[in-house]
Amino acid sequence: MSVDPQTLAAICVMALATAFNRSAGFFLMRLIPVTPRVRRVLDCLPGAVLVALLAPGAVHGDAAMLAGLGAAFLAAKFTRSDLLAVVAAMATAAGLRALGF
């Protein structure tokens, strides 16, 4: 199996961009005082990322993604745990996909 050089270059550039963004965020957040308002924004990020990943598929009619979004919402609402919401979304979507939905 051979790897296309352009594909490998694109993967490397994306990896470097990701590493740069993560480290820049770490260093920039050291300069920002964590006020209650900033803390609330940071607390909302995991849910926003989860919705950003699942919503496009759900909007375009993917039943497994829609069910995963619903499971994540319910898990987050009742457990107040982002980790359990992610696990619920993944388990629901993967389970439905395994069943052929």
Side-chain angles (χ1 to χ4, degrees), residues 26-86:
F26 173 74
F27 289 114
L28 289 176
M29 282 306 295
R30 289 180 25 193
L31 304 174
I32 297 173
V34 181
T35 63
R37 182 177 182 182
V38 172
R39 171 57 47 204
R40 285 193 307 268
V41 169
L42 292 174
D43 288 343
C44 290
L45 282 178
V49 169
L50 184 62
V51 169
L53 291 172
L54 293 175
V59 168
H60 291 291
D62 188 340
M65 289 281 204
L66 185 60
L69 193 59
F73 173 77
L74 292 174
K77 180 81 173 160
F78 291 117
T79 66
R80 302 268 185 218
S81 169
D82 294 330
L83 178 62
L84 289 179
V86 170

